[in-house]
Short mmCIF file of all heavy atoms in Angstrom, two decimals:
data_model
loop_
_atom_site.label_atom_id
_atom_site.label_comp_id
_atom_site.label_asym_id
_atom_site.label_seq_id
_atom_site.Cartn_x
_atom_site.Cartn_y
_atom_site.Cartn_z
N MET A 54 98.20 18.63 53.29
CA MET A 54 99.04 18.26 52.26
C MET A 54 99.83 17.05 52.87
O MET A 54 100.30 17.07 53.95
CB MET A 54 100.08 19.33 51.98
CG MET A 54 99.33 20.37 51.07
SD MET A 54 98.78 19.85 49.51
CE MET A 54 100.30 19.89 48.50
N SER A 55 100.07 16.10 52.15
CA SER A 55 100.87 14.96 52.60
C SER A 55 102.32 15.11 51.93
O SER A 55 102.58 15.88 50.91
CB SER A 55 100.39 13.59 52.02
OG SER A 55 100.50 13.39 50.67
N ASP A 56 103.21 14.40 52.56
CA ASP A 56 104.55 14.48 51.93
C ASP A 56 104.89 13.49 50.91
O ASP A 56 106.01 13.40 50.46
CB ASP A 56 105.69 14.27 53.18
CG ASP A 56 105.54 15.52 54.19
OD1 ASP A 56 105.13 16.53 53.73
OD2 ASP A 56 105.69 15.11 55.35
N LYS A 57 103.85 12.59 50.66
CA LYS A 57 104.07 11.63 49.58
C LYS A 57 104.49 12.23 48.26
O LYS A 57 103.84 13.27 47.78
CB LYS A 57 102.81 10.73 49.43
CG LYS A 57 102.76 9.68 50.50
CD LYS A 57 101.58 8.81 50.09
CE LYS A 57 101.37 7.75 51.18
NZ LYS A 57 100.12 6.93 50.95
N PRO A 58 105.44 11.68 47.58
CA PRO A 58 105.77 12.24 46.25
C PRO A 58 104.74 11.63 45.26
O PRO A 58 104.11 10.56 45.51
CB PRO A 58 107.14 11.54 45.97
CG PRO A 58 107.25 10.39 46.87
CD PRO A 58 106.33 10.69 48.03
N PHE A 59 104.51 12.41 44.35
CA PHE A 59 103.58 11.94 43.28
C PHE A 59 104.29 12.08 41.86
O PHE A 59 105.12 12.93 41.67
CB PHE A 59 102.24 12.70 43.28
CG PHE A 59 102.31 14.16 43.07
CD1 PHE A 59 102.15 14.69 41.79
CD2 PHE A 59 102.71 15.04 44.11
CE1 PHE A 59 102.31 16.06 41.53
CE2 PHE A 59 102.80 16.38 43.88
CZ PHE A 59 102.62 16.96 42.52
N THR A 60 103.67 11.42 40.89
CA THR A 60 104.25 11.42 39.68
C THR A 60 103.54 12.44 38.72
O THR A 60 102.31 12.49 38.70
CB THR A 60 104.19 10.09 39.02
OG1 THR A 60 104.76 9.06 39.94
CG2 THR A 60 104.86 9.96 37.68
N THR A 61 104.30 13.22 38.07
CA THR A 61 103.67 14.17 37.11
C THR A 61 103.94 13.58 35.69
O THR A 61 105.07 13.27 35.26
CB THR A 61 104.42 15.50 37.17
OG1 THR A 61 104.23 16.07 38.52
CG2 THR A 61 103.74 16.49 36.34
N VAL A 62 102.82 13.50 34.97
CA VAL A 62 102.87 12.92 33.60
C VAL A 62 102.56 14.06 32.62
O VAL A 62 101.39 14.61 32.80
CB VAL A 62 101.98 11.76 33.43
CG1 VAL A 62 102.09 11.09 32.03
CG2 VAL A 62 102.26 10.57 34.50
N LYS A 63 103.34 14.38 31.69
CA LYS A 63 103.06 15.37 30.81
C LYS A 63 102.21 14.72 29.67
O LYS A 63 102.60 13.78 29.04
CB LYS A 63 104.47 15.99 30.26
CG LYS A 63 104.20 17.08 29.27
CD LYS A 63 105.70 17.57 28.91
CE LYS A 63 105.65 18.49 27.71
NZ LYS A 63 104.95 19.72 27.83
N ARG A 64 100.94 15.37 29.46
CA ARG A 64 100.10 14.82 28.43
C ARG A 64 99.59 15.95 27.64
O ARG A 64 98.50 16.54 27.77
CB ARG A 64 98.83 14.16 29.15
CG ARG A 64 99.21 12.89 29.81
CD ARG A 64 99.69 11.80 28.88
NE ARG A 64 98.75 11.47 27.89
CZ ARG A 64 97.94 10.44 27.98
NH1 ARG A 64 97.82 9.74 29.04
NH2 ARG A 64 96.96 10.21 27.01
N ASP A 65 100.39 16.27 26.60
CA ASP A 65 100.00 17.52 25.70
C ASP A 65 98.97 17.00 24.72
O ASP A 65 98.29 17.78 24.00
CB ASP A 65 101.21 17.89 24.88
CG ASP A 65 102.06 18.75 25.87
OD1 ASP A 65 101.71 19.36 26.92
OD2 ASP A 65 103.31 18.78 25.50
N ASP A 66 98.55 15.73 24.72
CA ASP A 66 97.48 15.17 23.74
C ASP A 66 96.15 15.33 24.46
O ASP A 66 95.22 15.08 23.85
CB ASP A 66 97.84 13.90 23.43
CG ASP A 66 98.01 12.94 24.66
OD1 ASP A 66 98.61 13.29 25.65
OD2 ASP A 66 97.72 11.73 24.56
N LEU A 67 96.12 15.54 25.80
CA LEU A 67 94.82 15.65 26.35
C LEU A 67 94.38 17.02 26.61
O LEU A 67 95.24 17.99 26.79
CB LEU A 67 94.89 15.02 27.76
CG LEU A 67 95.13 13.47 27.82
CD1 LEU A 67 95.19 13.04 29.26
CD2 LEU A 67 94.10 12.73 27.11
N VAL A 68 93.12 17.43 26.47
CA VAL A 68 92.60 18.78 26.64
C VAL A 68 91.84 18.85 27.94
O VAL A 68 90.98 18.12 28.15
CB VAL A 68 91.68 19.08 25.39
CG1 VAL A 68 91.21 20.44 25.64
CG2 VAL A 68 92.35 19.06 24.02
N PRO A 69 92.25 19.82 28.78
CA PRO A 69 91.57 20.01 30.08
C PRO A 69 90.11 20.50 29.83
O PRO A 69 89.91 21.19 28.84
CB PRO A 69 92.44 21.00 30.73
CG PRO A 69 93.68 21.19 29.98
CD PRO A 69 93.40 20.64 28.59
N ILE A 70 89.29 20.19 30.71
CA ILE A 70 87.90 20.67 30.75
C ILE A 70 87.72 21.74 31.92
O ILE A 70 88.16 21.53 32.95
CB ILE A 70 86.93 19.52 30.90
CG1 ILE A 70 87.10 18.38 29.98
CG2 ILE A 70 85.46 19.94 30.86
CD1 ILE A 70 86.70 18.75 28.53
N CYS A 71 86.96 22.77 31.48
CA CYS A 71 86.63 23.82 32.48
C CYS A 71 85.73 23.24 33.44
O CYS A 71 84.52 22.67 33.12
CB CYS A 71 86.12 25.07 31.86
SG CYS A 71 85.51 26.16 33.08
N PRO A 72 86.01 23.38 34.81
CA PRO A 72 85.01 22.72 35.86
C PRO A 72 83.79 23.66 36.00
O PRO A 72 82.79 23.12 36.59
CB PRO A 72 85.94 22.89 37.08
CG PRO A 72 86.86 24.02 36.91
CD PRO A 72 87.21 24.00 35.31
N HIS A 73 83.71 24.79 35.28
CA HIS A 73 82.58 25.58 35.56
C HIS A 73 81.64 25.43 34.39
O HIS A 73 80.38 25.17 34.57
CB HIS A 73 82.95 27.00 35.48
CG HIS A 73 83.95 27.35 36.64
ND1 HIS A 73 83.53 27.28 37.95
CD2 HIS A 73 85.27 27.70 36.67
CE1 HIS A 73 84.65 27.59 38.71
NE2 HIS A 73 85.71 27.83 37.98
N CYS A 74 82.04 25.47 33.10
CA CYS A 74 81.14 25.29 31.99
C CYS A 74 81.38 24.09 31.18
O CYS A 74 80.48 23.75 30.35
CB CYS A 74 81.41 26.52 31.15
SG CYS A 74 82.99 26.72 30.21
N GLY A 75 82.35 23.39 31.41
CA GLY A 75 82.48 21.98 30.77
C GLY A 75 83.03 22.08 29.36
O GLY A 75 83.18 21.07 28.73
N ASN A 76 83.50 23.25 28.96
CA ASN A 76 84.08 23.48 27.68
C ASN A 76 85.55 23.00 27.70
O ASN A 76 86.22 23.05 28.78
CB ASN A 76 84.02 24.88 27.15
CG ASN A 76 82.52 25.11 26.55
OD1 ASN A 76 82.21 24.57 25.61
ND2 ASN A 76 82.04 26.12 27.13
N GLU A 77 86.04 22.49 26.60
CA GLU A 77 87.48 22.21 26.44
C GLU A 77 88.33 23.49 26.53
O GLU A 77 87.97 24.49 25.91
CB GLU A 77 87.80 21.43 25.25
CG GLU A 77 87.14 19.95 25.18
CD GLU A 77 87.53 19.28 23.98
OE1 GLU A 77 88.07 19.88 23.03
OE2 GLU A 77 87.31 18.07 23.80
N ILE A 78 89.34 23.29 27.27
CA ILE A 78 90.25 24.61 27.43
C ILE A 78 91.50 24.32 26.67
O ILE A 78 92.42 23.73 27.02
CB ILE A 78 90.65 24.77 28.96
CG1 ILE A 78 89.32 25.01 29.72
CG2 ILE A 78 91.57 25.95 29.08
CD1 ILE A 78 89.49 25.19 31.18
N THR A 79 91.33 24.81 25.43
CA THR A 79 92.52 24.76 24.49
C THR A 79 93.52 25.88 24.77
O THR A 79 94.60 25.89 24.25
CB THR A 79 92.09 24.76 23.03
OG1 THR A 79 91.39 25.89 22.83
CG2 THR A 79 91.39 23.46 22.70
N GLU A 80 93.02 26.99 25.43
CA GLU A 80 93.85 28.03 25.76
C GLU A 80 93.40 28.64 27.04
O GLU A 80 92.16 28.49 27.34
CB GLU A 80 93.97 29.15 24.75
CG GLU A 80 92.54 29.71 24.33
CD GLU A 80 92.68 30.73 23.23
OE1 GLU A 80 93.68 30.84 22.63
OE2 GLU A 80 91.58 31.17 22.93
N VAL A 81 94.16 29.41 27.97
CA VAL A 81 93.59 29.95 28.97
C VAL A 81 94.01 31.40 28.98
O VAL A 81 95.04 31.82 28.58
CB VAL A 81 94.40 29.41 30.27
CG1 VAL A 81 94.07 30.10 31.56
CG2 VAL A 81 93.92 27.90 30.44
N TYR A 82 93.10 32.23 29.32
CA TYR A 82 93.21 33.68 29.45
C TYR A 82 93.95 34.03 30.68
O TYR A 82 93.50 33.38 31.80
CB TYR A 82 91.93 34.46 29.29
CG TYR A 82 91.32 34.48 27.94
CD1 TYR A 82 90.12 35.07 27.73
CD2 TYR A 82 92.00 33.85 26.91
CE1 TYR A 82 89.64 35.15 26.41
CE2 TYR A 82 91.40 33.82 25.67
CZ TYR A 82 90.28 34.48 25.34
OH TYR A 82 89.60 34.54 24.19
N MET A 83 94.75 35.07 30.75
CA MET A 83 95.33 35.56 32.05
C MET A 83 95.34 37.02 32.11
O MET A 83 95.38 37.70 31.08
CB MET A 83 96.74 34.86 32.15
CG MET A 83 97.64 35.38 31.04
SD MET A 83 99.39 34.57 31.21
CE MET A 83 99.96 35.58 32.41
N ARG A 84 95.24 37.50 33.26
CA ARG A 84 95.43 38.91 33.50
C ARG A 84 96.42 39.10 34.71
O ARG A 84 96.57 38.21 35.45
CB ARG A 84 94.13 39.53 34.02
CG ARG A 84 93.07 39.61 33.03
CD ARG A 84 92.07 40.57 33.48
NE ARG A 84 92.61 41.92 33.90
CZ ARG A 84 91.97 43.11 33.85
NH1 ARG A 84 90.59 43.13 33.39
NH2 ARG A 84 92.49 44.19 34.26
N THR A 85 97.25 40.16 34.55
CA THR A 85 98.19 40.37 35.64
C THR A 85 97.80 41.67 36.33
O THR A 85 97.25 42.55 35.81
CB THR A 85 99.54 40.60 34.99
OG1 THR A 85 99.49 41.62 34.05
CG2 THR A 85 100.10 39.33 34.30
N LYS A 86 98.21 41.61 37.61
CA LYS A 86 97.98 42.77 38.44
C LYS A 86 99.16 42.94 39.34
O LYS A 86 99.83 42.06 39.97
CB LYS A 86 96.78 42.37 39.34
CG LYS A 86 96.00 43.65 39.97
CD LYS A 86 94.97 43.13 40.84
CE LYS A 86 94.24 44.32 41.50
NZ LYS A 86 92.96 44.03 42.40
N GLY A 87 99.58 44.14 39.34
CA GLY A 87 100.80 44.59 40.08
C GLY A 87 101.80 45.21 39.22
O GLY A 87 101.64 45.22 37.89
N SER A 88 102.83 45.92 39.78
CA SER A 88 103.71 46.69 38.97
C SER A 88 104.69 45.70 38.13
O SER A 88 104.99 45.97 37.02
CB SER A 88 104.50 47.56 39.86
OG SER A 88 105.43 46.87 40.67
N GLY A 89 105.14 44.64 38.80
CA GLY A 89 105.99 43.66 38.10
C GLY A 89 107.43 44.09 38.13
O GLY A 89 108.24 43.30 37.60
N PHE A 90 107.73 45.21 38.75
CA PHE A 90 109.14 45.76 38.69
C PHE A 90 109.82 45.08 39.90
O PHE A 90 110.84 44.55 39.92
CB PHE A 90 109.16 47.30 38.81
CG PHE A 90 108.76 47.77 37.41
CD1 PHE A 90 107.60 48.44 37.32
CD2 PHE A 90 109.68 47.67 36.28
CE1 PHE A 90 107.19 49.13 36.14
CE2 PHE A 90 109.25 48.21 35.20
CZ PHE A 90 108.07 48.93 35.00
N VAL A 91 109.26 45.34 41.07
CA VAL A 91 109.88 44.90 42.38
C VAL A 91 109.27 43.57 42.84
O VAL A 91 109.95 42.62 43.01
CB VAL A 91 109.83 45.91 43.49
CG1 VAL A 91 110.43 45.59 44.67
CG2 VAL A 91 110.40 47.27 42.98
N GLU A 92 107.90 43.63 42.95
CA GLU A 92 107.21 42.46 43.41
C GLU A 92 106.83 41.52 42.07
O GLU A 92 106.72 42.15 41.05
CB GLU A 92 106.03 42.75 44.19
CG GLU A 92 106.30 43.80 45.29
CD GLU A 92 105.03 44.32 45.83
OE1 GLU A 92 104.10 43.57 46.18
OE2 GLU A 92 104.86 45.62 45.99
N GLY A 93 106.53 40.39 42.44
CA GLY A 93 106.20 39.51 41.40
C GLY A 93 104.66 39.86 41.09
O GLY A 93 103.80 40.22 41.91
N LYS A 94 104.29 39.77 39.82
CA LYS A 94 102.90 40.10 39.44
C LYS A 94 102.02 38.90 39.90
O LYS A 94 102.31 37.86 39.87
CB LYS A 94 102.87 40.18 37.95
CG LYS A 94 103.23 41.46 37.31
CD LYS A 94 103.05 41.53 35.91
CE LYS A 94 103.58 42.83 35.25
NZ LYS A 94 103.37 42.81 33.75
N ASN A 95 100.84 39.45 40.40
CA ASN A 95 99.75 38.40 40.59
C ASN A 95 99.10 38.03 39.34
O ASN A 95 98.54 38.95 38.59
CB ASN A 95 98.75 39.00 41.70
CG ASN A 95 99.39 39.14 42.99
OD1 ASN A 95 100.12 38.18 43.46
ND2 ASN A 95 99.16 40.31 43.58
N VAL A 96 99.05 36.83 38.93
CA VAL A 96 98.43 36.40 37.65
C VAL A 96 97.04 35.75 38.01
O VAL A 96 97.08 34.92 38.87
CB VAL A 96 99.42 35.47 36.90
CG1 VAL A 96 98.86 35.23 35.56
CG2 VAL A 96 100.79 36.13 36.76
N LEU A 97 96.24 36.09 37.17
CA LEU A 97 94.79 35.50 37.26
C LEU A 97 94.57 34.77 36.09
O LEU A 97 94.63 35.36 34.91
CB LEU A 97 93.84 36.67 37.36
CG LEU A 97 92.45 36.33 37.76
CD1 LEU A 97 92.24 35.77 39.12
CD2 LEU A 97 91.65 37.66 37.64
N TYR A 98 94.23 33.42 36.13
CA TYR A 98 93.89 32.69 35.03
C TYR A 98 92.48 32.38 34.82
O TYR A 98 91.93 32.04 35.90
CB TYR A 98 94.74 31.26 35.01
CG TYR A 98 96.19 31.45 35.11
CD1 TYR A 98 96.87 31.33 36.27
CD2 TYR A 98 96.84 31.59 33.90
CE1 TYR A 98 98.23 31.52 36.35
CE2 TYR A 98 98.31 31.76 34.08
CZ TYR A 98 98.93 31.66 35.19
OH TYR A 98 100.34 31.85 35.29
N PHE A 99 91.89 32.54 33.69
CA PHE A 99 90.50 32.33 33.60
C PHE A 99 89.97 31.71 32.28
O PHE A 99 90.83 31.80 31.21
CB PHE A 99 89.70 33.65 33.80
CG PHE A 99 89.97 34.80 33.04
CD1 PHE A 99 89.07 34.98 31.86
CD2 PHE A 99 91.13 35.58 33.18
CE1 PHE A 99 89.40 36.26 31.00
CE2 PHE A 99 91.29 36.67 32.28
CZ PHE A 99 90.51 36.90 31.31
N CYS A 100 88.86 31.06 32.36
CA CYS A 100 88.23 30.30 31.16
C CYS A 100 87.89 31.29 30.04
O CYS A 100 87.30 32.21 30.25
CB CYS A 100 87.20 29.44 31.64
SG CYS A 100 86.45 28.64 30.33
N PRO A 101 88.36 31.05 28.85
CA PRO A 101 87.95 31.93 27.68
C PRO A 101 86.53 31.70 27.30
O PRO A 101 85.85 32.47 26.58
CB PRO A 101 88.85 31.50 26.61
CG PRO A 101 89.30 30.09 26.88
CD PRO A 101 89.32 29.95 28.41
N HIS A 102 85.83 30.73 27.76
CA HIS A 102 84.46 30.50 27.45
C HIS A 102 83.46 31.24 28.37
O HIS A 102 82.56 31.79 28.08
CB HIS A 102 84.13 29.00 27.36
CG HIS A 102 85.11 28.19 26.45
ND1 HIS A 102 84.98 28.41 25.18
CD2 HIS A 102 86.06 27.44 26.72
CE1 HIS A 102 85.92 27.59 24.57
NE2 HIS A 102 86.64 27.05 25.37
N CYS A 103 83.66 30.90 29.66
CA CYS A 103 82.69 31.40 30.62
C CYS A 103 83.43 32.51 31.60
O CYS A 103 82.69 33.05 32.44
CB CYS A 103 82.25 30.33 31.54
SG CYS A 103 83.40 29.64 32.56
N MET A 104 84.66 32.82 31.38
CA MET A 104 85.43 33.97 32.06
C MET A 104 85.43 33.58 33.55
O MET A 104 85.85 34.50 34.26
CB MET A 104 84.59 35.25 31.95
CG MET A 104 84.50 35.56 30.38
SD MET A 104 86.08 35.95 29.61
CE MET A 104 85.47 35.79 27.91
N LYS A 105 85.26 32.40 33.99
CA LYS A 105 85.39 32.15 35.41
C LYS A 105 86.80 31.82 35.71
O LYS A 105 87.44 31.22 34.88
CB LYS A 105 84.47 31.03 35.82
CG LYS A 105 82.94 31.42 35.86
CD LYS A 105 81.97 30.46 36.42
CE LYS A 105 80.65 30.94 36.54
NZ LYS A 105 79.71 29.94 36.86
N VAL A 106 87.18 32.21 36.97
CA VAL A 106 88.61 32.08 37.38
C VAL A 106 88.93 30.59 37.58
O VAL A 106 88.25 29.89 38.26
CB VAL A 106 88.82 32.97 38.49
CG1 VAL A 106 90.35 32.85 39.03
CG2 VAL A 106 88.59 34.35 38.21
N LEU A 107 90.07 30.28 36.95
CA LEU A 107 90.65 28.93 37.12
C LEU A 107 91.70 28.78 38.14
O LEU A 107 91.81 27.71 38.82
CB LEU A 107 91.10 28.36 35.84
CG LEU A 107 90.12 28.38 34.66
CD1 LEU A 107 90.82 27.99 33.35
CD2 LEU A 107 88.99 27.33 34.86
N GLY A 108 92.36 29.93 38.34
CA GLY A 108 93.42 29.75 39.41
C GLY A 108 94.30 31.10 39.47
O GLY A 108 94.08 31.91 38.54
N PHE A 109 95.05 31.19 40.39
CA PHE A 109 95.96 32.38 40.62
C PHE A 109 97.39 31.74 40.55
O PHE A 109 97.76 30.66 40.74
CB PHE A 109 95.70 32.94 41.99
CG PHE A 109 94.37 33.45 42.17
CD1 PHE A 109 93.48 32.64 42.69
CD2 PHE A 109 94.01 34.74 41.80
CE1 PHE A 109 92.09 33.09 42.86
CE2 PHE A 109 92.75 35.16 41.94
CZ PHE A 109 91.83 34.37 42.58
N GLY A 110 98.25 32.76 40.17
CA GLY A 110 99.66 32.28 40.23
C GLY A 110 100.51 33.57 40.38
O GLY A 110 100.02 34.72 40.41
N GLN A 111 101.77 33.31 40.40
CA GLN A 111 102.75 34.34 40.56
C GLN A 111 103.68 34.41 39.41
O GLN A 111 104.28 33.25 38.99
CB GLN A 111 103.61 34.21 41.82
CG GLN A 111 102.84 34.54 43.01
CD GLN A 111 103.06 35.99 43.46
OE1 GLN A 111 104.19 36.50 43.51
NE2 GLN A 111 102.03 36.75 43.74
N SER A 112 103.85 35.60 38.84
CA SER A 112 104.77 35.62 37.66
C SER A 112 105.95 36.58 37.99
O SER A 112 105.59 37.61 38.55
CB SER A 112 104.12 36.28 36.38
OG SER A 112 104.98 36.48 35.44
N ARG A 113 107.21 36.05 37.78
CA ARG A 113 108.26 36.91 38.34
C ARG A 113 109.16 37.29 37.05
O ARG A 113 110.35 37.01 37.06
CB ARG A 113 109.16 36.19 39.28
CG ARG A 113 108.42 35.88 40.58
CD ARG A 113 109.28 35.81 41.83
NE ARG A 113 108.50 35.72 43.02
CZ ARG A 113 108.29 36.76 43.76
NH1 ARG A 113 108.65 37.94 43.45
NH2 ARG A 113 107.54 36.52 44.85
N MET A 114 108.43 38.05 36.23
CA MET A 114 109.16 38.45 34.97
C MET A 114 109.90 39.69 35.37
O MET A 114 109.36 40.58 36.14
CB MET A 114 108.18 38.80 33.92
CG MET A 114 107.57 37.62 33.37
SD MET A 114 106.36 37.93 31.95
CE MET A 114 105.08 38.57 32.97
N ILE A 115 111.05 40.02 34.82
CA ILE A 115 111.77 41.11 35.06
C ILE A 115 111.82 42.04 33.80
O ILE A 115 112.05 41.58 32.72
CB ILE A 115 113.23 40.83 35.43
CG1 ILE A 115 113.13 40.22 36.79
CG2 ILE A 115 114.03 42.14 35.68
CD1 ILE A 115 114.50 39.60 37.30
ZN1 ZN B 493 84.55 27.71 31.48
#
């Protein structure tokens, strides 16, 4: 990772493409794992078309 700053451009008009099946991702499915009370939940994001995992995240809902 470099320390160079980068610019984030918000583009709600563009539709991401799934790297696995090539379909447009207009929505992303997610599953949560973990209690969510004390620790943050582990969130799994996956493509609604091919069900392949797109990424992981942390959700800290209380
Ligand atoms: Zn896909």
